[in-house]
Coordinates of all heavy atoms in Angstrom, one line a residue:
M1 N 0.9 -1.1 0.0 CA 0.0 0.0 0.0 C 0.9 1.2 0.1 O 1.8 1.5 0.9 CB -0.8 0.0 1.2 CG -1.6 1.3 1.5 SD -2.6 1.3 3.0 CE -4.0 0.5 2.6
D2 N 0.8 2.0 -1.0 CA 1.6 3.3 -1.2 C 0.7 4.6 -0.8 O -0.5 4.6 -1.2 CB 2.2 3.4 -2.5 CG 3.2 2.5 -2.9 OD1 3.9 2.0 -1.8 OD2 3.4 2.0 -3.9
L3 N 1.3 5.4 0.0 CA 0.5 6.6 0.2 C 1.3 7.9 -0.2 O 2.6 7.7 0.0 CB 0.3 6.9 1.9 CG -0.8 5.8 2.4 CD1 -0.8 6.1 3.8 CD2 -2.1 6.1 1.8
K4 N 0.7 8.8 -0.8 CA 1.3 10.1 -1.2 C 1.6 11.0 0.0 O 0.6 11.2 0.7 CB 0.6 10.6 -2.4 CG 1.3 12.0 -3.0 CD 0.4 12.4 -4.1 CE -0.9 13.2 -3.6 NZ -1.5 13.9 -4.6
I5 N 2.6 11.6 0.1 CA 2.9 12.6 1.1 C 3.1 14.0 0.6 O 3.7 14.1 -0.4 CB 4.2 12.2 1.9 CG1 4.2 10.8 2.6 CG2 4.5 13.3 3.0 CD1 5.5 10.4 3.2
S6 N 2.4 14.9 1.2 CA 2.3 16.3 0.7 C 2.7 17.2 1.8 O 2.5 16.8 3.0 CB 1.1 16.7 0.1 OG -0.1 16.4 1.0
T7 N 3.3 18.2 1.4 CA 3.7 19.3 2.4 C 2.6 20.2 2.8 O 1.4 20.0 2.2 CB 4.9 20.2 1.8 OG1 4.3 20.9 0.7 CG2 6.1 19.3 1.4
L8 N 2.9 21.0 3.9 CA 1.8 22.0 4.3 C 1.3 22.9 3.2 O 0.2 23.4 3.1 CB 2.2 22.7 5.5 CG 2.3 21.8 6.7 CD1 3.0 22.6 7.9 CD2 1.1 21.1 7.1
G9 N 2.2 23.2 2.3 CA 2.0 24.0 1.1 C 1.2 23.3 0.0 O 0.7 24.0 -0.8
G10 N 1.1 22.0 0.1 CA 0.4 21.3 -1.0 C 1.2 20.7 -2.0 O 0.7 20.0 -2.9
E11 N 2.5 20.8 -2.0 CA 3.4 20.2 -3.0 C 3.7 18.7 -2.6 O 3.6 18.3 -1.5 CB 4.7 20.9 -3.2 CG 4.7 22.3 -3.6 CD 4.8 23.3 -2.5 OE1 5.5 23.0 -1.4 OE2 4.4 24.5 -2.5
D12 N 4.1 17.9 -3.6 CA 4.4 16.5 -3.3 C 5.6 16.4 -2.5 O 6.7 17.1 -2.9 CB 4.5 15.7 -4.6 CG 3.3 15.4 -5.2 OD1 2.2 15.4 -4.5 OD2 3.1 15.1 -6.5
A13 N 5.8 15.4 -1.5 CA 7.0 15.3 -0.8 C 7.5 13.9 -1.1 O 8.4 13.5 -0.2 CB 6.7 15.7 0.6
G14 N 6.8 13.0 -1.7 CA 7.2 11.6 -1.9 C 6.2 10.7 -1.6 O 4.9 11.0 -1.5
K15 N 6.5 9.5 -1.5 CA 5.6 8.4 -1.2 C 6.1 7.5 0.0 O 7.3 7.5 0.3 CB 5.3 7.4 -2.4 CG 4.6 8.1 -3.5 CD 4.3 7.1 -4.6 CE 3.6 7.7 -5.6 NZ 3.3 6.7 -6.6
V16 N 5.3 6.8 0.7 CA 5.7 6.0 1.7 C 5.0 4.6 1.6 O 3.8 4.6 1.2 CB 5.5 6.6 3.1 CG1 4.0 6.7 3.3 CG2 6.0 5.7 4.2
K17 N 5.7 3.5 1.8 CA 5.1 2.2 1.7 C 4.7 1.7 2.9 O 5.5 1.7 3.9 CB 6.1 1.2 0.9 CG 5.6 -0.1 0.6 CD 6.5 -0.8 -0.2 CE 5.7 -2.2 -0.5 NZ 5.9 -2.7 -1.9
L18 N 3.3 1.4 3.1 CA 2.9 0.8 4.3 C 2.4 -0.7 4.2 O 2.1 -1.1 3.2 CB 1.7 1.6 4.8 CG 1.8 3.0 5.1 CD1 0.5 3.8 5.3 CD2 2.9 3.4 6.2
S19 N 2.5 -1.4 5.3 CA 2.2 -2.9 5.3 C 0.8 -3.0 5.2 O 0.0 -2.4 5.9 CB 2.8 -3.4 6.7 OG 2.3 -4.8 6.7
E20 N 0.5 -4.0 4.2 CA -1.1 -4.2 4.0 C -1.6 -4.9 5.1 O -2.8 -4.8 5.4 CB -1.1 -5.0 2.7 CG -2.4 -5.2 2.1 CD -3.0 -3.9 1.5 OE1 -2.4 -3.1 1.0 OE2 -4.3 -3.8 1.8
E21 N -0.9 -5.8 5.8 CA -1.4 -6.5 7.0 C -1.8 -5.5 8.2 O -2.8 -6.0 8.9 CB -0.4 -7.4 7.5 CG 0.1 -8.6 6.6 CD 1.3 -8.4 5.9 OE1 2.1 -7.6 6.5 OE2 1.6 -9.0 5.0
I22 N -1.3 -4.4 8.3 CA -1.6 -3.6 9.4 C -2.5 -2.4 9.0 O -3.6 -2.3 9.6 CB -0.4 -2.9 10.1 CG1 0.6 -4.1 10.7 CG2 -0.6 -1.8 11.0 CD1 1.8 -3.6 11.1
F23 N -2.2 -1.7 7.8 CA -2.9 -0.5 7.4 C -4.1 -0.9 6.4 O -4.8 0.0 6.0 CB -2.0 0.5 6.7 CG -1.1 0.9 7.9 CD1 0.3 0.6 8.0 CD2 -1.4 2.0 8.7 CE1 1.2 1.0 9.0 CE2 -0.5 2.5 9.6 CZ 0.7 2.0 9.8
G24 N -4.2 -2.2 6.0 CA -5.2 -2.5 5.1 C -6.5 -3.2 5.8 O -7.4 -3.5 5.1
L25 N -6.4 -3.2 7.1 CA -7.6 -3.8 7.8 C -8.6 -2.7 7.8 O -8.6 -1.6 7.9 CB -7.1 -4.1 9.2 CG -6.1 -5.2 9.4 CD1 -5.7 -5.3 10.8 CD2 -6.5 -6.4 9.0
D26 N -10.0 -3.3 8.0 CA -11.1 -2.5 8.2 C -11.0 -2.0 9.7 O -10.9 -2.9 10.5 CB -12.4 -3.2 7.8 CG -12.5 -3.6 6.4 OD1 -12.0 -2.7 5.6 OD2 -13.1 -4.5 6.0
P27 N -11.5 -0.7 9.9 CA -11.4 -0.3 11.3 C -12.7 -0.8 12.0 O -13.8 -1.1 11.5 CB -11.5 1.3 11.2 CG -12.2 1.4 9.9 CD -11.7 0.3 9.0
R28 N -12.5 -1.3 13.4 CA -13.5 -1.8 14.1 C -14.2 -0.7 15.0 O -13.6 0.0 15.7 CB -13.0 -2.9 15.1 CG -12.7 -4.3 14.4 CD -12.3 -5.3 15.3 NE -12.9 -5.3 16.6 CZ -12.6 -6.1 17.6 NH1 -11.6 -6.8 17.6 NH2 -13.4 -6.1 18.8
E29 N -15.6 -0.6 14.7 CA -16.3 0.6 15.4 C -16.2 0.5 17.0 O -16.1 1.6 17.7 CB -17.6 0.6 14.9 CG -17.7 1.0 13.5 CD -19.2 1.2 13.0 OE1 -20.1 1.3 13.9 OE2 -19.5 1.2 11.8
D30 N -16.2 -0.7 17.5 CA -16.2 -0.9 18.9 C -14.9 -0.5 19.6 O -14.9 0.2 20.7 CB -16.5 -2.3 19.4 CG -15.5 -3.4 18.7 OD1 -15.0 -3.2 17.7 OD2 -15.3 -4.3 19.5
I31 N -13.9 -0.7 19.0 CA -12.4 -0.3 19.4 C -12.4 1.2 19.3 O -11.8 2.0 20.2 CB -11.4 -0.9 18.8 CG1 -11.5 -2.5 19.2 CG2 -10.0 -0.5 19.0 CD1 -10.4 -3.4 18.4
L32 N -12.9 1.8 18.1 CA -12.7 3.2 17.9 C -13.4 4.0 19.0 O -13.1 5.0 19.6 CB -13.2 3.6 16.6 CG -12.3 3.3 15.4 CD1 -12.9 3.5 14.3 CD2 -11.1 3.9 15.6
Q33 N -14.7 3.5 19.3 CA -15.7 4.1 20.4 C -14.9 3.9 21.8 O -15.0 4.9 22.5 CB -17.0 3.2 20.4 CG -18.0 4.0 21.2 CD -18.1 3.6 22.7 OE1 -17.5 2.5 23.0 NE2 -18.8 4.2 23.5
R34 N -14.2 2.8 22.0 CA -13.5 2.8 23.3 C -12.5 3.7 23.5 O -12.3 4.3 24.5 CB -13.0 1.4 23.6 CG -14.1 0.4 24.0 CD -13.4 -1.0 24.3 NE -14.2 -1.9 25.0 CZ -13.7 -2.9 25.6 NH1 -12.5 -3.2 25.6 NH2 -14.6 -3.6 26.4
V35 N -11.7 3.9 22.4 CA -10.6 4.8 22.4 C -11.0 6.2 22.5 O -10.5 7.0 23.3 CB -9.7 4.6 21.2 CG1 -8.6 5.8 21.0 CG2 -9.0 3.2 21.2
V36 N -12.1 6.7 21.9 CA -12.6 8.0 22.0 C -13.0 8.3 23.4 O -12.8 9.3 23.9 CB -13.7 8.2 21.0 CG1 -14.5 9.5 21.2 CG2 -13.3 8.2 19.5
R37 N -13.7 7.3 23.9 CA -14.3 7.5 25.4 C -13.1 7.6 26.4 O -13.0 8.4 27.3 CB -15.2 6.4 25.7 CG -16.5 6.2 24.9 CD -17.5 7.2 25.3 NE -18.0 6.8 26.7 CZ -18.9 7.6 27.3 NH1 -19.2 8.6 26.8 NH2 -19.1 7.2 28.5
W38 N -12.1 6.7 26.1 CA -11.0 6.8 27.0 C -10.2 8.3 27.0 O -9.8 8.7 28.0 CB -10.0 5.7 26.5 CG -8.7 5.7 27.3 CD1 -8.5 5.5 28.6 CD2 -7.4 6.0 26.6 NE1 -7.1 5.6 28.8 CE2 -6.4 6.0 27.7 CE3 -7.1 6.5 25.4 CZ2 -5.2 6.4 27.5 CZ3 -5.7 6.9 25.3 CH2 -4.8 6.7 26.4
Q39 N -10.1 8.6 25.6 CA -9.5 10.0 25.4 C -10.2 11.1 26.2 O -9.6 12.0 26.8 CB -9.2 10.4 24.0 CG -8.2 9.4 23.4 CD -8.0 9.7 22.0 OE1 -9.0 10.2 21.2 NE2 -6.8 9.3 21.3
L40 N -11.6 11.2 26.0 CA -12.4 12.1 26.6 C -12.4 12.1 28.2 O -12.4 13.1 28.8 CB -13.8 12.0 26.1 CG -14.1 12.5 24.7 CD1 -15.5 12.1 24.3 CD2 -13.7 13.9 24.3
A41 N -12.2 10.9 28.7 CA -12.2 10.7 30.2 C -10.9 11.2 30.7 O -10.8 11.7 31.8 CB -12.4 9.1 30.6
K42 N -9.8 10.8 29.9 CA -8.5 11.4 30.4 C -8.3 12.9 30.2 O -7.6 13.5 31.1 CB -7.3 10.7 29.6 CG -7.2 9.2 29.7 CD -6.9 8.9 31.1 CE -5.4 9.1 31.2 NZ -4.8 8.6 32.5
K43 N -9.2 13.6 29.4 CA -9.1 15.0 29.1 C -9.8 15.8 30.4 O -9.4 16.9 30.6 CB -9.7 15.3 27.9 CG -9.5 16.7 27.4 CD -9.9 17.0 26.0 CE -11.4 17.1 25.9 NZ -11.8 17.5 24.6
Q44 N -10.7 15.1 31.1 CA -11.4 15.7 32.2 C -10.4 16.2 33.3 O -9.4 15.4 33.6 CB -12.5 14.9 32.7 CG -13.6 14.6 31.9 CD -14.7 13.8 32.4 OE1 -14.4 13.1 33.4 NE2 -15.8 13.9 31.8
Q45 N -10.7 17.2 33.9 CA -9.8 17.8 34.9 C -9.7 16.9 36.2 O -8.6 16.8 36.8 CB -10.1 19.2 35.3 CG -9.1 20.0 36.0 CD -9.4 21.4 36.1 OE1 -10.4 21.9 35.7 NE2 -8.5 22.3 36.5
G46 N -10.8 16.5 36.7 CA -10.7 15.5 37.8 C -10.7 16.3 39.1 O -10.3 15.9 40.2
T47 N -11.3 17.5 39.2 CA -11.4 18.3 40.4 C -12.9 18.3 41.0 O -13.1 19.0 41.8 CB -11.0 19.6 40.2 OG1 -11.8 20.3 39.2 CG2 -9.5 19.9 39.8
H48 N -13.8 17.3 40.5 CA -15.1 17.2 40.8 C -15.1 16.7 42.2 O -14.3 15.8 42.6 CB -15.9 16.6 39.8 CG -15.3 15.2 39.5 ND1 -14.3 15.0 38.5 CD2 -15.6 13.9 39.9 CE1 -14.1 13.8 38.6 NE2 -14.9 13.1 39.4
K49 N -16.2 16.8 43.0 CA -16.5 16.2 44.2 C -17.9 16.0 44.6 O -18.6 16.8 44.0 CB -15.7 16.9 45.3 CG -16.5 17.9 46.2 CD -15.7 18.5 47.2 CE -16.2 18.7 48.6 NZ -17.6 18.3 49.0
T50 N -18.3 15.2 45.3 CA -19.7 15.0 45.6 C -19.9 15.7 46.9 O -19.2 15.8 47.9 CB -20.1 13.6 45.8 OG1 -19.2 12.9 46.8 CG2 -19.9 12.8 44.4
K51 N -21.2 16.1 47.1 CA -21.6 16.8 48.4 C -21.8 15.8 49.5 O -22.3 14.8 49.3 CB -22.8 17.5 48.1 CG -22.7 18.8 47.3 CD -24.0 19.6 47.3 CE -23.7 20.8 46.5 NZ -25.0 21.7 46.4
G52 N -21.4 16.2 50.7 CA -21.6 15.3 51.9 C -22.9 15.6 52.4 O -23.7 16.6 52.0
R53 N -23.3 15.0 53.5 CA -24.7 15.3 54.1 C -24.8 16.6 54.6 O -25.9 17.2 54.6 CB -24.9 14.2 55.2 CG -25.3 12.8 54.7 CD -25.5 11.9 55.9 NE -26.3 12.2 56.8 CZ -26.4 11.9 58.0 NH1 -25.6 10.9 58.4 NH2 -27.1 12.2 58.9
A54 N -23.7 17.3 55.2 CA -23.8 18.5 55.6 C -23.9 19.6 54.7 O -24.3 20.8 55.0 CB -22.5 18.8 56.6
E55 N -23.6 19.4 53.4 CA -23.7 20.3 52.3 C -25.0 20.5 51.6 O -25.2 21.3 50.9 CB -22.6 20.1 51.3 CG -21.2 20.2 51.9 CD -20.0 19.7 51.1 OE1 -20.4 18.7 50.3 OE2 -19.0 20.3 51.1
I56 N -25.8 19.5 51.9 CA -27.3 19.4 51.2 C -28.2 20.3 52.2 O -28.3 20.1 53.3 CB -27.6 18.0 51.1 CG1 -26.5 17.3 50.2 CG2 -28.9 17.9 50.6 CD1 -26.8 15.8 50.1
A57 N -28.9 21.2 51.4 CA -30.0 21.9 52.1 C -31.3 20.9 52.1 O -31.9 20.7 51.1 CB -30.3 23.1 51.4
R58 N -31.6 20.3 53.2 CA -32.7 19.6 53.4 C -33.4 20.1 54.6 O -33.1 21.0 55.3 CB -32.3 18.2 53.7 CG -31.7 17.5 52.5 CD -31.5 16.0 52.9 NE -31.0 15.3 51.8 CZ -30.6 14.0 51.8 NH1 -30.9 13.4 52.9 NH2 -30.1 13.5 50.8
T59 N -34.6 19.4 55.0 CA -35.5 19.8 56.1 C -34.7 19.3 57.3 O -33.8 18.5 57.4 CB -36.8 18.9 55.8 OG1 -37.6 19.4 56.9 CG2 -36.6 17.5 55.9
G60 N -35.2 19.9 58.4 CA -34.7 19.4 59.8 C -35.5 18.3 60.3 O -35.2 17.8 61.5
A61 N -36.4 17.6 59.6 CA -37.2 16.5 60.0 C -36.3 15.3 60.2 O -35.3 15.2 59.5 CB -38.3 16.3 59.2
K62 N -36.8 14.3 61.0 CA -36.0 13.0 61.1 C -35.9 12.4 59.8 O -36.8 12.4 59.1 CB -36.6 12.2 62.3 CG -36.3 12.8 63.6 CD -36.9 11.7 64.7 CE -36.1 10.6 64.7 NZ -34.9 10.6 65.4
M63 N -34.7 11.7 59.6 CA -34.7 10.9 58.3 C -35.6 9.7 58.3 O -36.2 9.3 57.4 CB -33.3 10.6 58.2 CG -32.2 11.6 57.9 SD -30.6 11.1 57.9 CE -30.5 10.0 56.5
Y64 N -35.9 9.0 59.5 CA -36.7 7.9 59.6 C -36.8 7.7 61.1 O -36.2 8.4 62.0 CB -36.1 6.6 59.0 CG -34.5 6.4 59.3 CD1 -34.1 5.8 60.3 CD2 -33.6 6.8 58.2 CE1 -32.8 5.6 60.6 CE2 -32.2 6.5 58.5 CZ -31.8 6.0 59.7 OH -30.5 5.8 60.0
K65 N -37.8 6.8 61.4 CA -38.0 6.7 62.8 C -37.0 6.0 63.6 O -36.1 5.4 63.1 CB -39.4 5.8 63.0 CG -39.2 4.4 62.5 CD -40.5 3.7 62.6 CE -40.4 2.2 62.3 NZ -41.5 1.4 62.6
Q66 N -37.0 6.4 65.0 CA -35.7 5.8 65.6 C -35.7 4.6 65.9 O -34.6 3.9 65.9 CB -35.8 6.9 67.1 CG -34.8 6.4 68.0 CD -34.2 7.5 68.6 OE1 -34.2 8.6 68.1 NE2 -33.2 7.3 69.6
K67 N -36.8 3.8 66.1 CA -36.8 2.4 66.6 C -37.3 1.6 65.4 O -38.2 2.0 64.5 CB -37.8 2.1 67.8 CG -37.4 2.9 69.0 CD -36.3 2.1 69.8 CE -36.1 2.7 71.0 NZ -35.2 1.9 71.9
G68 N -36.8 0.2 65.4 CA -37.3 -0.7 64.4 C -36.8 -0.7 63.2 O -37.2 -1.5 62.3
T69 N -35.9 0.1 62.7 CA -35.3 0.2 61.4 C -34.1 -0.8 61.2 O -33.7 -1.2 60.1 CB -35.0 1.5 60.9 OG1 -33.9 2.0 61.8 CG2 -36.2 2.4 60.8
G70 N -33.4 -1.1 62.4 CA -32.2 -1.7 62.3 C -31.1 -1.1 61.9 O -29.9 -1.5 61.7
R71 N -31.2 0.3 61.8 CA -30.1 1.1 61.4 C -29.8 2.1 62.6 O -30.4 2.1 63.6 CB -30.6 2.0 60.1 CG -30.8 1.1 58.9 CD -31.6 1.8 57.9 NE -31.1 3.2 57.5 CZ -31.7 3.8 56.5 NH1 -32.7 3.3 55.8 NH2 -31.3 5.0 56.3
A72 N -28.6 2.9 62.4 CA -28.0 3.8 63.5 C -29.2 4.8 63.6 O -30.0 5.2 62.7 CB -26.8 4.3 63.0
R73 N -29.1 5.5 64.8 CA -30.1 6.7 65.2 C -29.5 8.0 64.6 O -28.4 8.2 64.8 CB -30.2 6.8 66.6 CG -30.9 5.6 67.3 CD -31.0 5.8 68.8 NE -29.8 5.9 69.5 CZ -29.1 5.0 70.2 NH1 -29.7 3.8 70.2 NH2 -27.9 5.2 70.7
H74 N -30.4 8.6 63.8 CA -30.1 9.8 63.1 C -31.0 10.9 63.6 O -32.2 10.6 63.6 CB -29.9 9.9 61.6 CG -28.7 9.0 61.2 ND1 -27.3 9.4 61.3 CD2 -28.6 7.7 60.6 CE1 -26.5 8.6 60.9 NE2 -27.3 7.5 60.4
H75 N -30.6 12.1 63.7 CA -31.6 13.3 64.0 C -32.2 13.8 62.8 O -33.3 13.9 62.6 CB -30.9 14.2 64.9 CG -31.8 15.4 65.2 ND1 -31.6 16.6 64.5 CD2 -32.7 15.7 66.0 CE1 -32.5 17.5 64.8 NE2 -33.2 17.0 65.9
S76 N -31.3 14.2 61.9 CA -31.8 15.1 60.7 C -30.8 14.8 59.5 O -29.7 14.2 59.7 CB -31.9 16.5 60.9 OG -30.6 17.2 61.2
A77 N -31.2 15.0 58.3 CA -30.5 14.8 57.2 C -29.3 15.5 57.0 O -28.2 15.0 56.7 CB -31.4 15.0 55.8
P78 N -29.3 16.8 57.4 CA -28.1 17.6 57.3 C -27.0 17.5 58.2 O -26.0 18.0 58.2 CB -28.5 19.1 57.1 CG -29.8 19.2 57.7 CD -30.4 17.8 57.5
A79 N -27.3 16.6 59.3 CA -26.3 16.4 60.2 C -25.1 15.8 59.8 O -25.2 14.8 58.9 CB -26.8 15.6 61.4
P80 N -23.9 16.1 60.1 CA -22.6 15.5 59.6 C -22.4 14.1 60.1 O -23.0 13.8 61.1 CB -21.5 16.4 60.0 CG -22.1 17.1 61.2 CD -23.6 17.2 61.0

């Protein structure tokens, strides 16, 4: 497989011979999609964070009843 190389100005700069076994394959859409998703994920800054219970504006009412749930006792949702 021969490819023509051109300069930024548009003139011919020669040819390059590529292996048919590697560059003659049909592209797989599933692999292309994975690579694009991976590149976009790596581009994210990574400074996001989730809010804790104390940062959420909620009511002061009890989250659930005190007895019979089998869970720890809590007073209200915004409590740390």
Side-chain angles (χ1 to χ4, degrees):
M1 168 187 275
D2 291 332
L3 289 179
K4 183 177 76 169
I5 299 173
S6 55
T7 63
L8 293 176
E11 297 106 23
D12 284 340
K15 290 186 178 182
V16 66
K17 185 171 180 138
L18 300 176
S19 173
E20 190 71 34
E21 292 103 20
I22 297 172
F23 295 98
L25 299 175
D26 291 330
R28 286 184 43 192
E29 291 184 19
D30 59 323
I31 294 177
L32 291 176
Q33 191 266 350
R34 277 185 168 194
V35 170
V36 168
R37 298 282 295 175
W38 172 74
Q39 288 175 339
L40 291 175
K42 295 294 282 184
K43 193 167 79 168
Q44 290 181 346
Q45 192 170 9
T47 58
H48 54 279
K49 93 179 223 2
T50 57
K51 289 186 177 182
R53 283 178 51 199
E55 298 168 327
I56 299 173
R58 290 189 181 174
T59 179
K62 286 181 72 70
M63 294 173 63
Y64 43 82
K65 63 182 187 172
Q66 177 127 353
K67 296 273 189 181
T69 62
R71 296 163 48 175
R73 297 182 294 260
H74 289 292
H75 173 262
S76 64

